């Protein structure tokens, strides 16, 4: 690529990429309509899609390993003469082929699925070359279903000079066919001048190759390539691809932000009602709550839509900040809506908000699935007339029959639990509707401001990459009076001690949770089922009132049980993780989490947040089944060492990756093909800087980068 005339400018590639990279796959020999249809089902429609369909692992067929030196679990290529062939039918058809080589050792090839013609190929004395992973068998090492080919007895077969890529399987297309098609696509790669979209000085500064060299290295690594680095994703070729992929996702989100900012939103400048609420609160705001509210206040005073994510640990006081923001809308004569993912959480918000706001004369309406008939009609009429100033509910808020009079602020709690289209539907209840995906330049529509909240703290690197379309605020300070929760990890063998501990705590007037990870017994999962645990604890603790709540219960029954627990009518609540986001019970001071090794850090932290909400010393017991995996041990140790949700979030990102933290399947944030936010975090500053330059100077190149890596996958990501 030619060096730019000015260092600050981004070079513009020629038209070859559009001409070649976007060529339909049907142009490749052997890719007819049926094959193309199967590829399209996986999002592969043009040549550049195959260029970016990267190997998941590699097979080293460049050398022959002696059979005597094989190690179980290490994939190798071996070659030998067939010594014996045996077919068996005792339990199911089995074909065993014994081969030996010059190391004077024998290896068994075992097949469970085979044809008669295949058996006929295996003749004692014939030479065979095969690839697979050895494992211990009845008579030494064996490879089950190796890939193989028979060799000419006289001529030595030529070994390959590059590692063989193994691609993710695509239904209906064999591995060899897919490898051939990707090879044909790679043969059509344009030269650097046409293909490269990143500035040379950036690549050289990071010691990264061009895109063409990176793709060829990843797809066709040389025999002496650093296979460990390739498998770990740390090879410079993969770093080059990760850089552009992170840039593509960043640009996509930034463009969504720009499209949203092109709309108009009501400027909310009156603070009178919010100040009245603040004066009436029975507590003072923490410094963090005050700081975040001032950030929201500045946003809402502008005539462009706010897009702000407020993250804060369990119990940090996000709800009161949301209430103050809602009063800015109501004080301006408009409406606000707060949507929560479950009726339990929504109703908890409702109780708090009515307690704070109704004394100020604010009408708070409730709309959930269980509000039906005449009551529902009355609520809908109040929402449509504007009489209902703040509407609290679940996804029922987004249904077609719900019409707002003048919605100015949409608040979404636990935003990662909602699908993208659901959040768009609530946003579109604003006066002007409009589509956040509209291209820039269309007439601005009036949309409500958006405030999204999460009690799952998001690591800084994840926020930089996944929420580039949002301003991010953190309530990183707990209100005074919250007691630290003492966390310990115990083997399940010590269960009887915990039963006595519950008896003592409840005798002192406290309440406890016992959390199970499944509802019914399962032979496949080593976990105590909630129902079985409930039955057992009821027998073991006859003097206590034991309740049960799980996700399969009817909503009304679940709600009644949770409210009974909140009122102190239940001493011990046996529950599944449905209480992860649940009712605030200050009197609950003991949490036992069964099979804690099966849960992720974020979920464990959320569950632990159910206790320690009052003034009494609280405890969380992580009950685990031995033996612990190394990963599970790290998770439990992290929980013991810290209660800082942001520290836990960083560790969770390191251990689990971004997918589970974000709930990518429903947020619309596509899974990365190459990039790993924990591993590649050091690239993010360059990504942000280059993203700014491209959007300002070369929007056409930004469009190409997004199209290359993302396509339409992030169309709704900024909802």
């Amino acid at each position: 690529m030619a060096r730019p005339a000015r260092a600050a400018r981004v070079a513009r590639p020629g038209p070859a990429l559009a001409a070649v990279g976007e060529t339909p796959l049907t142009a490749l020999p052997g890719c007819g309509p049926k094959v193309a249809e199967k590829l399209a089902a996986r999002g592969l429609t043009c040549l550049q899609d195959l260029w970016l369909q990267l190997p998941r692992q590699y097979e080293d067929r460049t050398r022959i390993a002696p059979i005597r030196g094989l190690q179980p679990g290490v994939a190798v290529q071996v070659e030998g003469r067939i010594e014996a062939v045996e077919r068996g039918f005792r339990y199911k058809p089995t074909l065993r082929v014994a081969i030996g080589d010059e190391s004077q050792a024998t290896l068994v090839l075992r097949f469970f699925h085979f044809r008669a013609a295949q058996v006929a190929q295996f003749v004692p004395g014939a030479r065979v070359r095969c690839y697979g992973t050895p494992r211990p068998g009845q008579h030494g090492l064996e490879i089950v279903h190796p890939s193989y080919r028979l060799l000419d007895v006289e001529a030595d077969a030529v070994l390959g000079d590059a590692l063989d890529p193994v691609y993710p399987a695509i239904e209906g297309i064999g591995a060899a066919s897919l490898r051939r098609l990707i090879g044909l696509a790679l043969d059509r790669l344009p030269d650097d001048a046409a293909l490269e979209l990143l500035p040379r000085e950036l690549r050289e500064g990071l010691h990264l190759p061009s895109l063409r060299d990176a793709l060829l290295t990843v797809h066709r690594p040389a025999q002496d390539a650093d296979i460990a680095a390739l498998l770990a994703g740390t090879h410079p070729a993969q770093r080059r691809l990760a850089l552009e992929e992170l840039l593509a996702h960043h640009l996509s989100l930034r463009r969504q932000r720009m499209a949203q900012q092109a709309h108009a939103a009501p400027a909310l400048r009156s603070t009178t009602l919010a100040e009245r609420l603040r004066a009436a609160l029975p507590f003072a705001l923490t410094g963090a709550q005050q700081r975040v509210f001032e950030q929201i206040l500045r946003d809402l005073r502008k005539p462009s839509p706010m897009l702000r994510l407020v993250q804060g640990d369990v119990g940090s006081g996000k709800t009161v900040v949301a209430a103050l923001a809602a009063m800015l809308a109501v004080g301006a004569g408009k409406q606000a809506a707060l949507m929560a993912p479950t009726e339990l959480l929504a109703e908890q918000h409702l109780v708090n908000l009515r307690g704070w706001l109704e004394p100020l004369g604010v009408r708070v309406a409730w709309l959930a699935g269980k509000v039906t008939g005449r009551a529902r009609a009355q609520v809908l009429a109040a929402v449509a007339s504007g009489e209902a100033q703040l509407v609290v509910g679940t996804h029922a808020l987004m249904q077609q029959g719900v019409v707002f009079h003048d919605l100015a602020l949409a608040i979404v709690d636990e935003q990662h639990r909602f699908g993208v289209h659901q959040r768009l539907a609530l946003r579109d209840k604003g006066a002007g509707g409009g589509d956040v995906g509209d291209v820039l330049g269309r007439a601005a529509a009036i949309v409500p401001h958006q405030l999204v909240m999460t009690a799952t703290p998001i690591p800084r690197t994840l926020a930089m990459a996944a929420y580039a379309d949002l301003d991010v605020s953190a309530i990183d300070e707990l209100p005074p009076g919250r007691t630290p929760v003492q966390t310990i990890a115990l083997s399940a063998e010590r269960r009887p001690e915990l039963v006595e501990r519950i008896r003592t705590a409840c005798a002192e007037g406290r309440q406890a949770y016992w959390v199970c990870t499944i509802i019914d017994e399962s032979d496949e999962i080593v976990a105590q089922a909630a129902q079985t645990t409930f039955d057992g604890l009821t027998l073991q603790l006859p003097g206590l009132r034991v309740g049960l709540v799980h996700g399969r219960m009817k909503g009304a029954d679940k709600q009644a049980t949770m409210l009974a627990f909140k009122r102190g009518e239940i001493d011990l609540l046996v529950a599944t993780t449905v209480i992860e986001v649940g009712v605030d019970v200050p009197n609950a001071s003991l949490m036992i989490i069964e099979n804690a090794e099966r849960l992720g850090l974020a979920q464990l932290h959320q569950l632990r947040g159910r206790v320690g909400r009052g003034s009494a010393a609280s405890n969380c017991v992580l009950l685990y089944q031995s033996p612990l995996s190394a990963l599970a041990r790290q998770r439990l140790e992290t929980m013991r060492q810290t209660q800082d949700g942001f520290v836990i979030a960083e560790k969770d990102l390191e251990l689990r990756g971004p997918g589970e933290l974000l709930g990518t399947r429903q947020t619309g944030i596509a899974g990365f093909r190459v990039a790993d936010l924990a591993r590649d975090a050091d690239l993010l500053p360059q990504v942000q800087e280059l993203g700014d330059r491209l959007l300002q100077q070369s929007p056409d190149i930004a469009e190409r980068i997004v199209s290359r890596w993302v396509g339409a996958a992030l169309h709704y990501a900024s909802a």
Side-chain angles (χ1 to χ4, degrees):
M1 186 180 72
R3 184 176 295 275
R6 292 167 53 195
R9 301 293 295 178
V10 178
R12 297 176 180 273
L17 176 64
V20 178
E22 297 174 11
T23 301
L25 295 182
T26 48
L28 297 176
C31 187
K34 290 185 178 179
V35 173
E37 184 178 349
K38 292 171 182 174
L39 291 169
R42 290 289 292 269
L44 308 173
T45 60
C46 61
L47 291 187
Q48 72 181 10
D49 293 333
L50 287 187
W51 298 341
L52 301 175
Q53 182 73 359
L54 304 179
R56 58 181 176 83
Q57 64 183 63
Y58 300 92
E59 295 178 349
D60 186 357
R61 299 173 187 263
T62 65
R63 55 178 66 89
I64 302 295
I67 293 176
R68 185 169 297 281
L70 299 185
Q71 297 179 359
V74 180
V76 291
Q77 181 170 245
V78 298
E79 186 178 309
R81 292 190 182 277
I82 297 175
E83 297 176 342
V85 180
E86 177 183 282
R87 295 179 68 179
F89 298 93
R90 186 172 180 183
Y91 300 109
K92 58 182 176 180
T94 304
L95 174 65
R96 298 171 70 244
V97 179
I99 65 171
D101 67 0
E102 295 175 355
S103 69
Q104 305 300 310
T106 300
L107 174 70
V108 173
L109 314 180
R110 185 186 292 270
F111 302 87
F112 296 109
H113 308 287
F114 53 90
R115 303 180 305 277
Q118 189 176 357
V119 178
Q121 291 180 319
F122 293 116
V123 178
R127 197 152 56 111
V128 64
R129 180 180 293 172
C130 64
Y131 185 93
T133 303
R135 70 176 193 183
Q138 292 179 341
H139 306 287
L141 292 179
E142 65 179 21
I143 298 179
V144 177
H145 281 284
S147 59
Y148 71 91
R149 61 181 173 130
L150 293 165
L151 304 175
D152 190 303
V153 175
E154 301 299 330
D156 286 327
V158 177
L159 290 170
D161 59 359
L163 301 176
D164 286 353
V166 178
Y167 296 99
I170 295 179
E171 186 176 354
I173 299 180
S177 297
L178 180 59
R179 189 182 297 124
R180 184 186 66 82
L181 288 172
I182 292 176
L184 291 172
L186 289 170
D187 291 340
R188 301 192 182 197
L189 268 175
D191 59 22
D192 284 338
L195 188 63
E196 189 58 63
L197 295 176
L198 299 188
R200 176 184 289 178
E201 71 272 16
L202 174 67
R203 292 187 288 106
E204 291 179 347
L206 294 171
H207 306 290
L208 299 178
S210 67
L211 179 62
R212 176 184 169 84
D213 289 344
L215 287 170
L216 291 175
T217 298
V218 172
H219 283 285
R220 298 169 175 172
Q223 184 176 355
D224 59 352
D226 186 345
I227 187 69
L230 283 169
L231 292 175
T234 57
H235 193 284
Q238 287 159 314
R239 295 262 295 167
R240 165 64 183 82
L241 298 173
L243 174 66
E244 188 170 314
E245 184 177 30
L246 288 169
L247 178 62
H249 283 257
H250 178 80
L251 288 170
S252 179
L253 291 171
R254 288 285 304 279
R255 286 166 64 236
Q256 298 294 343
R257 171 66 181 246
M258 292 167 65
Q260 179 78 322
Q261 292 297 322
H263 297 306
L268 308 176
R269 297 190 172 93
S270 174
T271 60
T272 303
L273 196 54
E275 288 168 358
R276 286 179 58 201
L277 168 60
R278 187 165 173 176
L281 289 172
F283 51 83
L285 296 185
T286 65
Q289 287 173 314
Q290 173 67 26
R291 182 185 70 247
V292 171
F293 176 62
E294 288 175 354
Q295 292 169 346
I296 293 170
L297 183 60
R298 285 196 295 270
D299 289 347
L300 294 182
R301 284 174 168 166
K302 299 174 184 176
S304 56
M306 173 179 74
L307 290 163
R308 185 167 290 277
L309 169 70
V310 173
Q311 53 173 330
D313 226 332
V314 176
S316 61
K318 296 181 297 299
T319 306
V320 72
V321 172
L324 288 165
M327 290 308 93
L328 295 172
V330 174
K334 300 181 182 296
Q335 292 171 295
L338 189 154
M339 181 172 69
T342 66
E343 287 196 2
L344 282 172
L345 184 57
E347 195 148 356
Q348 179 175 309
H349 285 314
L350 178 73
V351 171
N352 287 332
L353 291 169
R354 280 183 170 166
W356 294 333
L357 303 180
E358 287 187 345
L360 304 179
V362 176
R363 167 78 185 273
V364 182
W366 166 243
L367 188 59
K370 67 180 182 182
V371 180
T372 58
R374 181 177 298 177
R376 180 178 176 82
Q378 291 175 344
V379 173
L380 292 178
V383 173
S385 68
E387 180 186 348
Q389 297 161 294
L390 172 59
V391 188
V392 180
T394 58
H395 62 276
L397 290 178
M398 301 167 294
Q399 293 173 353
Q400 193 169 359
V402 182
V403 178
F404 284 83
H405 176 69
D406 191 0
L407 180 63
L409 175 63
I411 305 168
V412 181
D413 195 16
E414 295 301 326
Q415 58 86 30
H416 62 285
R417 290 170 173 256
F418 286 100
V420 180
H421 295 277
Q422 292 176 311
R423 297 201 296 276
L424 278 173
L426 181 61
R427 194 275 330 279
D428 288 344
K429 297 290 184 182
D435 183 353
V436 78
D438 286 349
V439 296
L440 297 176
R442 290 188 183 177
I446 298 176
V447 299
H449 299 280
Q450 294 183 66
L451 176 64
V452 294
M453 305 189 297
T454 178
T456 303
I458 299 162
R460 178 175 171 272
T461 53
L462 196 55
M464 288 171 68
Y467 294 107
D469 59 326
L470 296 173
D471 295 312
V472 180
S473 297
I475 302 179
D476 49 8
E477 178 184 354
L478 288 178
R482 290 294 301 268
T483 57
V485 180
Q486 182 72 30
T487 304
I488 61 171
L490 291 180
S491 167
E493 297 169 357
R494 299 179 64 179
R495 224 165 167 267
E497 299 176 31
L498 293 178
V499 175
E500 291 307 312
R501 191 166 179 175
I502 289 172
R503 193 193 311 274
T504 301
C506 293
E508 295 172 353
R510 297 297 165 192
Q511 292 168 277
Y513 294 95
W514 192 298
V515 180
C516 305
T517 53
I518 58 173
I519 298 170
D520 299 317
E521 282 288 10
S522 168
D523 294 331
E524 299 176 1
I525 303 175
V526 184
Q528 290 292 328
Q531 185 66 54
T532 304
T533 301
F534 169 76
D535 294 338
L537 290 172
T538 301
L539 289 173
Q540 292 172 281
L541 299 166
L544 299 186
R545 298 163 295 178
V546 185
L548 173 66
V549 63
H550 57 69
R552 291 186 194 169
M553 292 170 62
K554 292 181 179 178
D557 295 339
K558 185 166 52 180
Q559 186 80 7
T561 303
M562 292 295 288
L563 290 178
F565 185 61
K566 182 178 177 67
R567 290 193 295 262
E569 297 165 6
I570 291 174
D571 302 307
L572 171 62
L573 182 64
V574 178
T576 59
T577 53
V578 68
I579 58 125
E580 177 187 343
V581 176
V583 175
D584 184 3
V585 184
N587 192 48
S589 62
L590 177 59
M591 162 78 67
I592 295 165
I593 305 175
E594 188 113 44
N595 299 106
E597 77 280 1
R598 299 183 67 234
L599 301 181
L601 270 173
Q603 197 170 24
L604 288 171
H605 183 61
Q606 287 282 310
L607 288 168
R608 181 170 61 182
R610 295 296 107 212
V611 294
R613 305 176 81 87
S615 58
S618 296
N619 295 274
C620 178
V621 181
L622 307 175
L623 204 59
Y624 63 85
Q625 291 281 355
S626 297
L628 280 176
S629 68
L631 187 63
R633 190 176 299 278
Q634 286 187 65
R635 283 201 296 263
L636 299 187
E637 187 62 27
T638 301
M639 289 294 294
R640 287 181 58 248
Q641 290 177 349
T642 182
Q643 294 185 51
D644 187 324
F646 292 90
V647 172
I648 288 171
E650 293 285 355
K651 188 66 174 179
D652 211 14
L653 175 62
E654 175 188 331
L655 295 179
R656 287 201 297 165
E660 287 188 64
L661 289 175
L662 289 174
T664 53
R665 290 180 192 85
Q666 63 176 1
T667 59
I669 298 173
F672 291 112
R673 306 183 201 185
V674 189
D676 179 289
L677 291 178
R679 184 190 66 218
D680 302 319
D682 63 303
L683 296 175
L684 291 172
Q686 287 90 350
V687 164
Q688 290 187 315
E689 180 184 350
L690 182 57
D692 290 340
R693 286 169 52 190
L694 287 172
L695 289 171
Q696 292 173 10
Q697 302 170 12
S698 308
D700 55 329
I701 294 180
E703 175 70 30
R704 288 188 181 186
I705 291 174
V706 172
S707 176
R708 175 188 283 173
W709 284 94
V710 181
L714 291 189
H715 180 69
Y716 295 103
S718 66

